[in-house]
């Protein structure tokens, strides 16, 4: 899949049109200005964590500093760069969906849903969007590694995981667990032996270290390593969502406010779109997480019963299912409002789209046409509902 398919070309054109307009119309956001300020501080010679507080790794500040070194202070420039990153993430997640067996047109759904169904919740300069491309690329590299076992693929997966951790520590932890867990699973239910598994894990860890070790050395040279540990790890695990904190929002407890027609002005079509959008979002994240657990249990039971091993395609499903499960769990931790559920939903969308496409292939009978296309229609409906919500924000 090295050539651009017409479906991918149309996806790029559509997302470029949408994101280009959004870059000029989005309202200000405190997080966006904080991240932009961090980039300006780095550009001025300040050291992250030593000279200013930030509970996420310095990846976003470094990217922002690089952009603004060229353009000068500019929220617009940052939004445009983020738009390019989102287009890249949409393409990569589409390739990942095709790796799981979906056709090229169905595989455009996660990318469309990213911009229309998920970006709606946080349409600003933010680490959560920049990290998506490394996540998708790391999972693709892991799928390749599980297929042929090459050390280069596992090293690349580690390198991309390290880049993800450089942007958001939580996402780096989930990626490390999912890809490392898939390597171990391939030892148990796959065809890899202990020596091959050790080589894979070594290459994977080496790739992560190739990114994070120089960062740690740089922070240590400037006397910021201890502060970085306290802010990135200690603060986030103890104080970020402490009881009574502004981030103390438990999973699904804000749905009543989000769906209430009495909080903020809304039109009737937008209200029903919001209800459908929220219900499909939570059903997707929770359903794919539970489905991934059930699928893994089935693979293990088959291994114990029949002594059969999974193949490369099932291994790809395994690593993507682990990622969807991990990000689903992450959506319930910390500030677990609907915005963060949306921020972590894309891996689940990939798995759901691929599963829906597989169901459509397996139910060819004309009498089952409604059931055959229902799952894909629900994903398309989620995307369309997000589009309605975007339109509700446009004021003439």
């Amino acid at each position: 899949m090295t050539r651009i398919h017409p479906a991918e070309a149309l996806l790029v054109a559509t997302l470029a049109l949408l994101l280009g307009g959004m870059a000029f119309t989005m309202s200000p956001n405190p997080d966006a200005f904080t991240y932009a300020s961090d980039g300006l501080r780095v550009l001025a010679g300040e050291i992250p964590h030593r000279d200013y507080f930030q509970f996420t790794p310095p990846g976003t500040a470094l990217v922002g500093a690089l952009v603004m070194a060229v353009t000068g202070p500019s929220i617009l420039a940052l939004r445009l760069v983020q738009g390019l990153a989102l287009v890249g993430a949409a393409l990569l997640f589409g390739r990942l969906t095709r790796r799981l067996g979906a056709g090229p047109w169905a595989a455009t759904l996660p990318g469309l849903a990213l911009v229309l169904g998920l970006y709606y919740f946080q349409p600003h300069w933010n680490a959560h969007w920049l990290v998506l491309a490394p996540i998708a690329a790391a999972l693709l590299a892991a799928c390749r590694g599980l297929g042929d076992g090459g050390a280069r693929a596992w090293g690349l997966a580690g390198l991309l995981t390290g880049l993800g951790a450089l942007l958001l520590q939580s996402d780096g932890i989930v990626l490390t667990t999912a890809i490392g867990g898939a390597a171990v699973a391939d030892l148990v239910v796959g065809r890899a032996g202990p020596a091959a598994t050790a080589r894979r894990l070594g290459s994977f860890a080496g790739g992560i270290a190739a990114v994070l070790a120089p960062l740690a050395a740089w922070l240590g040279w400037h006397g910021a390593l201890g502060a970085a540990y306290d802010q990135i790890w200690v603060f986030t695990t103890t104080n970020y969502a402490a009881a009574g904190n502004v981030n103390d929002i438990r999973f699904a407890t804000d749905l009543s406010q989000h769906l209430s027609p009495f909080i903020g002005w809304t039109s009737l079509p937008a209200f029903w779109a919001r209800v459908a959008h929220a219900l499909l979002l939570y059903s997707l994240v929770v359903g794919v997480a539970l489905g991934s657990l059930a699928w893994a249990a089935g693979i293990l039971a088959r291994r114990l019963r029949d002594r059969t091993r999974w193949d490369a395609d099932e291994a790809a499903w395994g690593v993507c299912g682990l990622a969807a499960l991990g990000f689903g769990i992450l959506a319930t931790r910390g500030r677990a409002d609907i915005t963060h559920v949306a921020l972590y939903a894309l891996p689940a969308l990939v798995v759901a789209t691929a599963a829906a496409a597989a169901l459509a292939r397996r139910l060819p009978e004309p009498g089952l046409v409604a059931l055959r296309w229902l799952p894909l229609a629900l994903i398309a409906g989620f995307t369309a509902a997000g589009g309605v919500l975007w339109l509700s924000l446009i004021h003439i």
Side-chain angles (χ1 to χ4, degrees):
M1 292 187 294
T2 56
R3 291 184 295 179
I4 295 292
H5 189 274
E8 294 177 318
L10 182 60
L11 176 65
V12 169
T14 302
L15 296 187
L17 181 64
L18 291 171
L19 290 166
M22 292 173 187
F24 291 91
T25 59
M26 295 301 100
S27 59
N29 175 268
D31 287 350
F33 285 117
T34 298
Y35 278 122
S37 175
D38 290 351
L40 289 174
R41 286 172 176 266
V42 171
L43 196 58
E46 295 188 27
I47 303 301
H49 309 294
R50 186 196 70 182
D51 297 327
Y52 63 87
F53 177 89
Q54 180 54 269
F55 57 82
T56 60
T60 307
L62 296 174
V63 174
L66 181 62
V67 173
M68 290 185 287
V70 177
T71 66
S74 173
I75 291 293
L76 175 60
L78 296 177
R79 287 175 176 173
L80 291 173
V81 168
Q82 181 168 273
L84 290 174
L86 287 171
V87 172
L91 278 174
L92 289 169
F93 274 109
R95 292 291 177 95
L96 188 62
T97 310
R98 291 176 67 184
R99 177 65 186 83
L100 297 183
W105 293 100
T108 63
L109 280 175
L112 287 171
L114 165 61
V115 173
L116 288 176
L118 304 177
Y119 193 48
Y120 166 85
F121 288 99
Q122 187 67 277
H124 313 98
W125 175 247
N126 196 286
H128 284 285
W129 302 126
L130 296 178
V131 76
L132 290 178
I135 288 173
L139 291 174
L140 277 169
C143 290
R144 190 177 304 118
L146 287 165
D148 59 25
R152 182 178 299 179
W154 287 97
L156 179 60
L159 187 71
L160 293 162
T161 298
L163 289 174
L166 183 61
L167 291 160
L168 276 175
Q169 68 273 36
S170 53
D171 295 47
I173 291 170
V174 169
L175 263 185
T176 301
T177 303
I179 296 175
V184 173
D186 203 36
L187 171 65
V188 178
V189 298
R191 301 183 181 280
T197 300
R199 288 193 298 271
R200 289 175 170 184
L201 292 175
S203 297
F204 180 57
I208 296 174
V211 175
L212 298 186
L215 173 68
W218 178 64
L219 291 173
W221 177 263
H222 291 285
L225 190 58
Y229 172 78
D230 287 337
Q231 294 167 25
I232 293 172
W233 181 252
V234 177
F235 174 82
T236 55
T237 56
T238 58
N239 295 324
Y240 174 76
N245 193 304
V246 67
N247 295 313
D248 181 22
I249 302 175
R250 300 308 164 193
F251 185 68
T253 57
D254 64 324
L255 263 180
S256 58
Q257 177 179 342
H258 176 73
L259 298 179
S260 173
F262 303 106
I263 299 177
W265 178 89
T266 184
S267 65
L268 191 60
F271 169 72
W272 290 115
R274 184 185 299 172
V275 171
H277 188 259
L279 293 179
L280 287 171
L281 174 63
Y282 277 88
S283 299
L284 175 80
V285 172
V286 175
V288 170
L290 294 177
S292 296
L293 281 175
W295 182 87
I299 288 289
L300 183 59
R302 188 187 69 180
R303 172 78 180 100
L304 294 174
R305 184 188 67 239
D306 302 332
R307 299 294 177 184
T308 55
R309 299 180 181 275
W310 69 7
D311 56 26
D313 290 337
E314 289 175 323
W317 277 91
V319 68
C320 291
L322 280 172
L325 174 62
F327 283 108
I329 294 172
L330 194 57
T332 70
R333 310 300 302 168
R335 184 184 174 107
D337 58 357
I338 192 170
T339 296
H340 284 78
V341 175
L343 291 170
Y344 295 125
L346 197 51
L349 261 168
V350 168
V351 173
T353 302
L359 178 66
R361 290 194 303 272
R362 294 179 183 182
L363 295 176
E365 293 83 358
L368 298 176
V369 64
L371 181 61
R372 178 183 181 185
W373 296 110
L374 178 61
L376 280 174
L378 287 174
I379 297 171
F382 170 76
T383 304
V388 173
L389 296 182
W390 277 111
L391 289 174
S392 72
L393 297 178
I394 298 175
H395 302 286
I396 300 177

